[in-house]
Structures are given as structure tokens and as C-alpha cells.
Amino acid sequence: MNFKMKPAEVIVKNNFVNLAQKGMVIWLFGLSGSGKTTISTLLKEKLENEGFFVTTLDGDVLREGINKDLGFNEVDRAENIRRAAEIAKLMMLNNMITICSFITPLEQHRALAANIIGEHYFEVFLDCPLSICKERDVKGLYKDADLKLISNFTGVSAKFEPAINAHLVIKTNTESPLQSMNKLFLKIIPQIGPTS
């Protein structure tokens, strides 16, 4: 199948960008180490190669900037998701494809994002067992959480609720990141074609 689009046409009117593609928010969620950033990066590259204009929002990056005033209690976690969803919605309204990578541990957080973004929200659960996520722990966060050096760490000392309403569930422990990305790409491509 060939999905190649012409390079995204950009029209500027009243200081707003209008891309000749359909805006969408792809919300990847799962435990730390489940593959969110890896799959997000691969999907962004694939979509850009197909001529789409794409951006990413990563939870770690936002917490270093716009959300650096937030902690990890339930109220701050919800505010972290609210801010990210509002930013993603603004991008989507300008026909941008935005790939979000957030742990989003509670169903109420995912419902909050879905309600803010609306019908162009596509939720993807990266389902990976905690034991595998711990093996992939390149930052040493799980080790520190197990030693109680980090409090409120999702999957260890803070709860994580599995998907209830995800549009797609990907088991990242049984397939390669490239396979996972391609599965997601095939699901979203019909929804982001050129605007008429």
C-alpha cells in the first residue's frame, strides 16, 4: 500500500496555520519503559516520510519546562495531563498530527484528555508487563523506586490502571518497536488523509 502524500501544504490566514491534512492526537500511554518514546519517534519519522506534518509531546520533556512546577501526587498528575491535552488540542485544531507520550496512569486522566481533545483523540495502550519494563530501565528509575529513593512511582508505589477504552492495545513485549509502530500507522492512516 502506498500512502505517500504530497508535502504538507501550508496556508497561513489570520496568523493561523492550515495544513492540508486532518488534525489528530495520538495518545500513547503505559508504564515507564513500555516503549512510548521509542514508538512515538518511529511513528513521527514514518509519517513525515509520507508527507505529513507531525509533532510530539513527551511527558518527560514537558515536566522539564511548562510542567516543571508539578509533582507526582494525583492532583498534579491530573494537571500535567490537562495541560498536555490542551496543548495537543490547539495543535490538532490547526490540522497538526500530535503524538503524545504520557504514562497517564489512571482512567480518569485518560478520560480527561479524551474530553478535552474530542473526536480526534486516538488512545493507544502500550501494554508491557512491569517485569519487562524494569529490565528496560535505562534511567534506573525502577531501581530507585524499589529502594524507596523515588516516591509515587507508577507501577511501584503509585497505581497504574490498565486500558478500558483504548482504540488500540499494543503488547510491546511480544513484538519489535518497528512492528508496533507499523500496527499503529495502519490504524491511523485512514483518519489523517488530506482534507477535502
Side-chain angles (χ1 to χ4, degrees):
M1 297 175 113
N2 185 359
F3 300 103
K4 199 78 164 178
M5 283 182 58
K6 291 184 259 179
E9 181 183 338
V10 179
I11 302 161
V12 178
K13 183 178 180 182
N14 299 329
N15 293 325
F16 282 93
V17 174
N18 183 14
L19 299 169
Q21 65 184 29
K22 295 175 187 164
M24 181 180 199
V25 176
I26 302 153
W27 197 279
L28 306 179
F29 77 98
L31 290 169
S32 179
S34 61
K36 296 179 298 299
T37 301
T38 300
I39 293 170
S40 172
T41 302
L42 288 171
L43 182 61
K44 182 178 189 287
E45 290 171 3
K46 173 79 170 171
L47 288 167
E48 286 175 340
N49 287 338
E50 297 293 336
F52 292 97
F53 188 81
V54 186
T55 192
T56 58
L57 292 176
D58 187 276
D60 290 342
V61 175
L62 261 65
R63 281 191 173 275
E64 291 173 5
I66 196 167
N67 290 343
K68 69 181 176 184
D69 60 321
L70 299 175
F72 291 91
N73 60 54
E74 283 198 27
V75 172
D76 283 0
R77 285 178 188 268
E79 178 60 13
N80 179 51
I81 297 304
R82 187 195 69 77
R83 291 179 191 179
E86 293 287 1
I87 294 166
K89 179 180 179 180
L90 290 173
M91 294 178 181
M92 179 269 300
L93 290 173
N94 281 285
N95 289 344
M96 291 175 68
I97 298 161
T98 305
I99 308 166
C100 298
S101 303
F102 292 85
I103 292 173
T104 328
L106 304 180
E107 182 57 31
Q108 68 188 34
H109 297 157
R110 300 186 288 268
L112 174 65
N115 287 335
I116 290 168
I117 295 162
E119 66 178 312
H120 299 287
Y121 171 83
F122 190 87
E123 186 176 291
V124 183
F125 176 35
L126 301 186
D127 187 5
C128 187
L130 179 61
S131 59
I132 302 296
C133 291
K134 285 184 174 186
E135 287 174 18
R136 297 175 176 173
D137 187 20
V138 292
K139 299 177 194 170
L141 298 175
Y142 282 109
K143 182 180 177 186
D144 288 348
D146 285 338
L147 294 171
K148 302 196 183 341
L149 299 175
I150 300 175
S151 60
N152 291 324
F153 191 78
T154 305
V156 178
S157 53
K159 69 179 173 177
F160 180 88
E161 297 173 347
I164 295 174
N165 297 309
H167 296 96
L168 179 63
V169 176
I170 298 175
K171 295 196 173 286
T172 60
N173 62 311
T174 61
E175 56 192 38
S176 73
L178 195 57
Q179 289 172 317
S180 296
M181 180 278 293
N182 281 323
K183 184 181 288 183
L184 175 53
F185 175 79
L186 291 173
K187 282 283 189 185
I188 63 164
I189 197 71
Q191 302 178 50
I192 58 174
T195 56
S196 47

